[in-house]
Amino acid sequence: MITLEDLPAIPVFASVPAEDIARLAHSSGDVRLGVGDYAVHEGDERSMFVVLAGRVEVTKVIDGIERVIGKRVPGQIFGEVPIIFGTPYQGSYRATEAARVMHISARQFHALAAAHPAVLTQVAAIAAERIGGLKGIATAPPKARALILAHAADDTAQQLRTFLGRNQISHDWVLPDAADRATRWTGPALADDELPALVCDDGSLLTRACCRDVAEHLGLQTRPHDGTYDAVIVGGGPAGLAAAVYGASEGLRTLVIEREAPGGQAETSSRIENYLGFPTGVSGDELARRALQQASRLGAEVMVTRTVAGIDPATKVITLDGGDSVRARSIILATGVSWRRLSAPGFDRLLGKGVFYGASRSEAGTTQGQDIHLIGAGNSAGQAALFFANHARTVTLVVRGDSLAKSMSHYLIEQIRGKPNIQVALHSEPQALHGDKRLDSIDLVDRASGTVRRVASGGVFVFIGADAETGWMPEAITRDDRGFVYTGEAAARSGRWPMDRDPYLLETTVPGIFACGDVRSSPVKRVAAAVGEGSMAIAFVHQYLAHAGSAPAG
Ligand SMILES: Cc1cc2nc3c(=O)[nH]c(=O)nc-3n(C[C@H](O)[C@H](O)[C@H](O)COP(=O)(O)OP(=O)(O)OC[C@H]3O[C@@H](n4cnc5c(N)ncnc54)[C@H](O)[C@@H]3O)c2cc1C
């Protein structure tokens, strides 16, 4: 409990009589922070703190990196902006040395301010000043962390751009033949065969750059920090990130291995309308960004640009591309599904050059004022149509069947009807895609009449379903005839379960190896299901480790 003697001089409370301060101190929270402990996180609900001892720094995630934007010492307050403006916290507050802070709830603060209006005036003045500081941060032109030099039709550079976007790293692209190249490109003159090239924010130059090199130069984790983990999660989509959040928060040494960037398929969704707690929907990249921050903050390691190539079911040693390995006490497979490819001439050649899988928000700019085509009739195609309709001149949904109603939710069909620039081409499919360096037109065949018409197209986005890519998994992990992994009762029924006890609900036919999300043999393919299963998997990991008598990794 805090007493008057514990309090340093607190200028904002100068007008408050000692007995009222003593009462406030007595009823406030007495929070002790070790080095690195957070008093409060960005996004938390309003309240106010007074620093009694130690030092606290203010951090904010800007451009994917946590930056320190201020500090507080004894006698100073924090939380003035949330408490005055009724907003969530705009930054996080972390002790840089052992600290003690007094936590004042919003109700306590307003009771004090009602009795002593000078407190309100003072705190409001500090809040106004701080808002000025935040405005400065918001209006400072963002400095890109990476500068790419590449031709517009360069596939590798397109992949780099998507990779940087998915890792929330700001970047600029300079074309080698651009008129302003000399002023924008900070690196040396380079020959075409050295492109794509990239200058990172530390000044380093990468030529013929690939995602792995870029990840390493920009400080993303590409190697495990330890040799053994309690839980290794393969795949960083919603299921994998949920497992990481629960695993790390429950004290398990947790590693996520992701072959591209965190987010999974959800990252390619322009708007997820049905995820609980987001009444106006949430974009896949926003959901992924938050989940990644949460998993990292709780202590999970998230490795990117590494593919799991094999698992030894007997030792649970995981082999990565390039031959590195890591040992796991338990494994969670959260590898989801991969988009089904479109088998039309021109498709593979133009992939990334106007032709894409899914509907990443980062492609919105490229569709501005264009006539574009979305292939597919499911909810993903419907959501993407609504999203791109705000950017493209026209959006045509190319549908094999005779109606959308068989495969798309009613609410999406209604919204599509309300958008005059969305058209639906029924009984249609793409027969060929054309373009030299970039897509310029497609041939659409009318399946009823067989007529083919060539139409100009500024973008083709494909949504024709997805398959599990589980061929690399060992035989011992039993899968259904489409490659989806059996768990729980299905694993027991497969006749390949080796133990006397029943498998846990999400356990595969190898004890201690679990599967969750879209890769699991189950009819449900949804973000909420993936997140729920990822969280549940950790509960089973605990039970498995306790059963196996295996103590958590130190
Ligand atoms: C365009 C679109 C819109 C959608 N809209 C909605 C919606 O509105 N509502 C909804 O509920 N659902 C929606 N979904 C479905 C939802 O996104 C999926 O159900 C969910 O992402 C499944 O999560 P997951 O973690 O199981 O798998 P995924 O999201 O597929 O993630 C799997 C991850 O594993 C990685 N990986 C795969 N193999 C390996 C390997 N060998 N080594 C390392 N990493 C590997 C992949 O790179 C990927 O990042 C949509 C999907 C799409 C594509």
Side-chain angles (χ1 to χ4, degrees):
M1 191 187 20
I2 302 167
T3 63
L4 260 188
E5 291 70 55
D6 299 322
L7 296 182
I10 305 169
V12 290
F13 293 159
S15 61
V16 184
E19 62 271 24
D20 287 2
I21 300 229
R23 212 171 302 120
L24 175 73
H26 188 253
S27 58
S28 296
D30 183 2
V31 184
R32 315 263 175 168
L33 303 169
V35 177
D37 287 349
Y38 285 85
V40 68
H41 288 282
E42 184 170 354
D44 282 353
E45 286 307 313
R46 69 202 174 114
S47 64
M48 204 177 87
F49 291 83
V50 180
V51 181
L52 306 182
R55 211 170 257 268
V56 172
E57 66 183 2
V58 194
T59 67
K60 186 164 175 63
V61 177
I62 302 169
D63 201 9
I65 314 176
E66 190 181 61
R67 295 179 196 277
V68 176
I69 58 169
K71 65 172 189 324
R72 299 289 189 277
V73 294
Q76 289 188 314
I77 59 170
F78 56 92
E80 59 282 347
V81 172
I83 208 93
I84 293 295
F85 296 101
T87 59
Y89 274 85
Q90 299 301 309
S92 300
Y93 292 79
R94 178 173 61 195
T96 52
E97 58 186 58
R100 188 178 179 197
V101 294
M102 176 163 95
H103 179 235
I104 303 169
S105 70
R107 191 181 48 76
Q108 286 170 318
F109 173 78
H110 290 296
L112 181 76
H116 306 284
V119 170
L120 187 62
T121 314
Q122 292 230 32
V123 174
I126 297 175
E129 196 181 309
R130 297 255 195 264
I131 282 276
L134 284 173
K135 252 196 321 209
I137 291 172
T139 52
K143 192 174 169 304
R145 292 198 61 207
L147 188 61
I148 303 173
L149 180 71
H151 291 286
D154 187 325
D155 257 357
T156 314
Q158 294 283 1
Q159 281 166 19
L160 278 175
R161 194 184 66 164
T162 307
F163 175 75
L164 291 169
R166 286 186 60 181
N167 278 292
Q168 299 142 30
I169 292 172
S170 62
H171 52 279
D172 273 339
W173 182 313
V174 181
L175 296 173
D177 45 10
D180 59 354
R181 168 189 162 143
T183 50
R184 292 180 57 215
W185 173 246
T186 52
L190 293 168
D192 264 7
D193 64 358
E194 293 176 290
L195 305 183
L198 200 120
V199 173
C200 301
D201 56 359
D202 64 356
S204 55
L205 170 75
L206 301 176
T207 52
R208 286 184 285 275
C210 68
C211 293
R212 172 85 59 85
D213 296 343
V214 171
E216 280 168 1
H217 273 81
L218 290 171
L220 300 172
Q221 187 177 343
T222 57
R223 289 193 172 77
H225 292 158
D226 280 331
T228 304
Y229 291 81
D230 296 318
V232 172
I233 299 159
V234 188
L241 290 175
V245 164
Y246 278 78
S249 69
E250 291 175 15
L252 297 178
R253 193 95 186 79
T254 304
L255 171 72
V256 178
I257 305 173
E258 165 55 51
R259 68 179 169 192
E260 294 169 20
Q265 293 166 69
E267 211 278 339
T268 62
S269 167
S270 44
R271 186 142 292 267
I272 297 164
E273 299 274 7
N274 49 4
Y275 191 57
L276 188 72
F278 293 88
T280 53
V282 58
S283 66
D285 52 3
E286 172 66 2
L287 194 65
R289 188 180 66 75
R290 287 167 177 254
L292 174 62
Q293 266 180 25
Q294 197 174 9
S296 308
R297 172 167 74 70
L298 291 167
E301 286 180 34
V302 182
M303 240 164 69
V304 293
T305 67
R306 298 307 299 269
T307 301
V308 170
I311 293 175
D312 180 337
T315 58
K316 297 196 182 61
V317 169
I318 295 171
T319 314
L320 304 174
D321 54 350
D324 298 347
S325 63
V326 63
R327 186 180 290 273
R329 293 200 155 90
S330 69
I331 297 172
I332 297 177
L333 303 169
T335 50
V337 292
S338 302
W339 286 108
R340 210 166 284 157
R341 300 185 81 76
L342 190 68
S343 58
F347 181 79
D348 285 342
R349 188 173 55 82
L350 293 169
L351 197 59
K353 300 167 188 163
V355 179
F356 304 93
Y357 287 111
S360 172
R361 285 159 71 88
S362 58
E363 304 308 336
T366 66
T367 68
Q368 208 72 39
Q370 305 272 348
D371 299 313
I372 65 161
H373 296 81
L374 310 191
I375 320 295
N379 282 348
S380 326
Q383 287 160 357
L386 291 166
F387 171 69
F388 284 128
N390 295 330
H391 301 273
R393 185 169 60 173
T394 64
V395 175
T396 304
L397 272 168
V398 180
V399 177
R400 280 165 61 99
D402 57 5
S403 97
L404 285 179
K406 285 183 189 148
S407 47
M408 195 180 286
S409 297
H410 178 70
Y411 79 96
L412 284 171
I413 297 176
E414 284 303 307
Q415 288 182 35
I416 284 171
R417 280 204 186 107
K419 286 271 186 189
N421 64 337
I422 303 182
Q423 303 150 11
V424 183
L426 297 174
H427 310 288
S428 301
E429 57 185 331
Q431 200 181 51
L433 293 87
H434 306 283
D436 180 13
K437 290 191 170 160
R438 200 187 146 76
L439 172 85
D440 58 36
S441 58
I442 59 173
D443 290 344
L444 288 180
V445 59
D446 182 319
R447 286 160 52 86
S449 63
T451 326
V452 179
R453 62 192 170 105
R454 184 163 297 187
V455 291
S457 182
V460 164
F461 296 84
V462 182
F463 304 84
I464 55 169
D467 296 309
E469 273 181 14
T470 51
W472 60 271
M473 291 180 189
E475 280 286 297
I477 297 176
T478 312
R479 285 148 272 166
D480 66 17
D481 51 6
R482 294 180 52 218
F484 290 90
V485 177
Y486 283 137
T487 55
E489 213 183 304
R493 270 203 316 266
S494 72
R496 308 272 305 275
W497 173 249
M499 294 187 81
D500 289 338
R501 71 165 171 87
D502 285 339
Y504 298 114
L505 194 65
L506 298 176
E507 202 167 21
T508 67
T509 44
V510 178
I513 300 186
F514 301 82
C516 56
D518 280 10
V519 76
R520 207 168 71 80
S521 178
S522 135
V524 187
K525 307 288 178 220
R526 287 277 181 278
V527 174
V531 168
E533 290 179 12
S535 325
M536 274 159 60
I538 291 298
F540 297 124
V541 163
H542 282 298
Q543 291 185 37
Y544 168 77
L545 291 180
H547 209 79
S550 178

